Amino acid sequence: MTAIGKDVPRKEALDKVTGAVKYNDDINEPGLLHVKMATSTCAHGIIKSIDVLSAWNVPGVRAVVTGDYLPVMTGSVIKDRPPIAINKVRYYGEPVAIVVADTEHEAQKAANSIKIEYSPLPMVKSPKEALVKGAPLVHEKLGEYKKAIDDVYPAAGTNVADHSKIRKGDMDKGWSECDVIVEGEYTMPKSDHIAMETRNVRVKIDPDGKVYVSSSTQCPHGIKDTLATVFSLNEGDIIVNAPLVGGAFGGKAPVNLEFIAYIASRAVGGRQVKLANTREEDIATSPTKIGLEAKVKLGATRDGILKALELKYFVDAGAYSDTAPRMAKTMASNGTGPYNVENVFCDALCLYTNNPYSTSFRGFGNMGHTFCMERTLDKLAVALNMSPFDLRLKNAISPGKGHTSATQVKITKSNTGDLAKCIYKINELIKLDDDLRVEVAKDKVIARGMSCIWKTSASNTDAISGAIIVFNKDGSLNLIVGVMEIGSGVKTGLAQILADKMNMEVDQIHVQMPVNTESSPKHWKTVASMSTVMAGRAVLSAADDAIRQIKDLGSIVLRVDPSQLEIGGGKVYMRSDPDNYVEFKDMVHGFKFRGGNSIGGQIIGKGTYIMENLTILDRETGKGRMGPAWTVGVQAVEVEYNTKDHTYKLVKAATVMDIGKIVNPKTAKGVVMGGMSMGLGLGSREGFLYGSNGGILNDSLRTYKVMRFGEQPDYMVEFIETPAEDGPYGARGLGEHGILGMPAALANALTRATGVELDQVPIDAELIWQLKTGGYV
Amino acid sequence: MMQLCGTDTIELEVNGEKRKVTVRAADTLLHTLREKLGLTGAKPGCENGDCGACTVLLDGWPIKSCLMLAAEAVGHSITTIEGLKNAPMQKAFFENWGFQCGFCTSGFIMTCHALATIHPGADDDTMADWLQSNICRCTSYEEIQNAVKQVLGKGDSSGVQGVVSMKEK
Ligand code: FES
Ligand code: FES
């Protein structure tokens, strides 16, 4: 009766197609006040004055608040960010003052009327500029900031928020063994998550000190922990409610608007306030994706065996560091891609600039290093006169060959799966071991490109998850976990895992969709593609707990040892005589004997999980175990390029990934395809454009382009199943991975099609034209 | 169209029901549906006409309710996702995994439902023409395309409640 491997529709699917599903902003209580922000129109400057008088004159205004009202510093890595600017602004769009008013339009009107004067400072607009000697400092007091974690190394008196190093092997020896060495320089701009639901939150503070937060978030428990620390509150007084989320992609992982909404509620005596981003604020004020500049040098023998790799990453964190240092570290640790390289040298600098600040984004930095390495591999293939397909196959990381990662973790079957199998498989979907560029008509070229991918999580070494199973009287059960349903179908997957373990039908499992920190067990964060793995393990352990209780009770009723009992189909029965059974419905709320006397009670199973065996990486060498198993895979793109006007069409896109165990095939495929679509968007059109004042020019969905219906290629997705020993049923993470290799595969295909090296994204007809013609007509 | 100054009470016909509602002249139809009538199926994705998350039907035609004032909708028949009952397009989205987070889904279903009703024989170009009005950030669009084709293939899209007039504009 296993539910694993079945296309079980999302538990909340009916609510979603009828419009009944409630997202955070769909729940409105009468009497709540509205918060609007006045944001900076200066990218770097000292705040000379803030004139709030006019705001107070707008009818309906209940509070006008500036940064000095409740000055706190926030940050999950370095505490470098005041939620409302104090003394200085560091990016265009930064909140400088807020207004609380009876209605949204009154709040907006008042916010618009606030006059702020700045004395502008010179801007730092790119990682390169951040590193120039004598560059303006984004944070003059960097050396004085508190660190939220130990292993981050901000350099006082510079714009360097962190420096991650990899020193593996012997570089001199490595280079001396190389017959061919290639180099490349790459850039990826900052861009936005564009979850269709913009971030929004409500907060109220009761007279007894209880703080009620309702948020569109990936991280309700993180909000609770963080608000408690930042505002010195009792953790137990903070209750965070989080309904279903309308897309997140990492953008709703950090605590962001919650700080401001809490401050706003305090300013109006604890009344409930709502702060909901407009699309423009969601892009320009809330955190974005990191930008990247990189230099890669890669060498190999004439047979194409990789021998030495030097990586230099310059990460554009923007004005505040948030999780950017962790993403830079992720790039350093995984920068080889899924290839064995004995000698690796990497410096990853995470840099402050006066661009909007960054936070986690689908892929957590892994898309960046993938782009750099995979473009370089294609250059190497050309230099070696070898097919890019063979080159990748030859160096594919694999167990049993003494391969190690850049952080010197031994590669095993369990921790990486089977990349070679993925590579052979994708060749059946899009032919890659053949001619990769074909002229099909006058002006028309078909070209293909590929990219291997890998990613493990970069979670805290002590990240936890928990699950509670509560039985209903009819024998069905409710599953309560702290994982957020952000669209990945994770809660349905967990129900499938539980149904399998309990040997029940999946429709007998009811999953609590919203998370409430008062009653849901803690799940670290719904990020890092680790939810099914972590919560899945917790669910299995909760099921074990419940099964033990059921068997104990069953053994009394059936008068046999618990070891002689089995469960299934909503019954506990004797293995030797299945007709001798007790139905769950007669026992999960206690068993009543004929005379009326009863034993047992409600069966409640609990399970917990903590990440095991992860270590902090060594500061000097990067040695250590950052995440559990990697998920490896390979992606390919086929384009049709018009040699005359330099436009191109996306024809096909394929992914083959080793996900350990397929819990729900259709959902897994959908999540991967969605990632591929986003990756193609980043490769072909997405990225911020800045005006001379440092502000984002394309801060609306009219000007910020995303993939639209009809532009999609034919998608092909296949899975390989090499179990990860520590995943539930062997499952590995897969939620983010679809995005990772798409920009690289696209750039590789287009480089081949156009004959110009495309080492930056987004790649549009104009860029190709400029590179081909030098920009002259 | 009616004239409205300040705040006034208007009558809207939504999902076959006549609803009295007090609005400001500047209130959009989206705001009114969500905040005043409790019909939160239509979503604010941009409030600028760019994403289609707020799509509802006006006399059977998809419109972006963030771009229309509530006052402009007086005298028209409005259908929101809550007004669809077992429409084939809902079933098709369900069966084809046509969504993940679901935030774009109401808007997409309304656009697709109208397409299937107005152009039951729509070809790929017409389909793309219509559906480019909506953004989905989670799916790859292929799932949505499969859902729409499933319904178009059958040429059946009954299930709208409320008055729907199909006259080409
Ligand atoms: S909210 Fe109306 S089009 Fe985006
Ligand atoms: S399902 Fe999330 S935006 Fe479409």
Side-chain angles (χ1 to χ4, degrees), chain A residues 53 136 263 323 362 437 500 572 625 682:
Chain A
L53 210 68
I263 293 169
T323 47
R362 191 179 209 162
R437 183 185 196 277
D500 181 83
V572 54
R625 191 161 182 263
L682 286 159

Side-chain angles (χ1 to χ4, degrees), chain A residues 23 26 686 702 707 709, chain B residues 43 48 50 101 132 137 141:
Chain A
Y23 302 89
D26 293 339
E686 292 185 41
R702 188 154 308 171
M707 290 283 286
F709 186 98
Chain B
K43 304 291 183 210
N48 194 41
D50 301 326
C101 80
Q132 294 223 327
R137 189 63 161 166
Y141 296 113

Side-chain angles (χ1 to χ4, degrees), chain A residues 118-270:
Chain A
Y118 306 93
S119 18
L121 297 166
M123 292 186 271
V124 180
K125 287 303 282 178
S126 70
K128 261 195 200 90
E129 286 178 30
L131 280 173
V132 167
K133 237 202 164 111
L137 293 181
V138 180
H139 293 268
E140 301 81 0
K141 297 196 174 143
L142 181 55
E144 293 168 32
Y145 291 152
K146 291 205 177 73
K147 300 200 278 181
I149 57 169
D150 294 331
D151 57 331
V152 61
Y153 312 105
T158 74
N159 288 313
V160 179
D162 196 14
H163 181 179
S164 290
K165 298 179 195 171
I166 292 290
R167 304 286 184 265
K168 178 192 172 191
D170 177 344
M171 293 312 291
D172 289 341
K173 180 168 168 279
W175 294 126
S176 71
E177 288 167 2
C178 295
D179 300 309
V180 179
I181 294 171
V182 292
E183 291 183 67
E185 287 194 29
Y186 308 97
T187 55
M188 296 178 107
K190 288 174 74 70
S191 57
D192 196 67
H193 305 81
I194 314 283
M196 289 315 295
E197 175 201 31
T198 58
R199 298 160 176 100
N200 66 89
V201 60
R202 292 187 303 284
V203 172
K204 69 169 177 169
I205 308 165
D206 274 2
D208 64 357
K210 284 239 185 313
V211 179
Y212 292 90
V213 180
S214 195
S215 178
S216 151
T217 179
Q218 292 172 257
C219 185
H221 287 90
I223 294 174
K224 173 172 135 174
D225 299 352
T226 308
L227 290 185
T229 322
V230 168
F231 296 110
S232 307
L233 305 168
N234 295 325
E235 243 192 71
D237 282 341
I238 304 169
I239 296 154
V240 182
N241 177 61
L244 297 194
V245 174
F249 316 116
K252 291 171 183 167
V255 185
N256 171 233
L257 297 183
E258 291 83 1
F259 295 122
I260 296 179
Y262 174 80
I263 293 169
S265 180
R266 279 268 290 256
V268 291

Side-chain angles (χ1 to χ4, degrees), chain A residues 196, chain B residues 99-105 135-139:
Chain A
M196 289 315 295
Chain B
F99 52 89
Q100 289 177 28
C101 80
F103 200 80
C104 71
T105 311
I135 294 175
C136 176
R137 189 63 161 166
C138 298
T139 72

Side-chain angles (χ1 to χ4, degrees), chain A residues 196 701, chain B residues 30 43-55 64-67 133:
Chain A
M196 289 315 295
L701 292 180
Chain B
L30 174 65
K43 304 291 183 210
C46 67
E47 297 187 87
N48 194 41
D50 301 326
C51 77
C54 63
T55 305
K64 289 169 172 168
S65 64
C66 70
L67 288 185
S133 60

Side-chain angles (χ1 to χ4, degrees), chain A residues 723-764:
Chain A
E725 300 298 342
D726 47 1
Y729 296 91
R732 301 166 191 276
L734 70 98
E736 299 161 89
H737 300 65
I739 201 171
L740 301 178
M742 296 316 282
L746 177 67
N748 283 341
L750 285 170
T751 293
R752 206 157 281 130
T754 59
V756 288
E757 295 293 313
L758 294 162
D759 294 335
Q760 71 192 78
V761 285
I763 304 168
D764 56 11

Side-chain angles (χ1 to χ4, degrees), chain A residues 575-595:
Chain A
R575 192 175 303 121
S576 56
D577 178 11
D579 286 343
N580 218 345
Y581 63 83
V582 191
E583 286 192 72
F584 283 3
K585 68 178 174 53
D586 295 324
M587 67 183 299
V588 289
H589 282 199
F591 184 85
K592 198 193 274 182
F593 290 100
R594 240 174 241 141

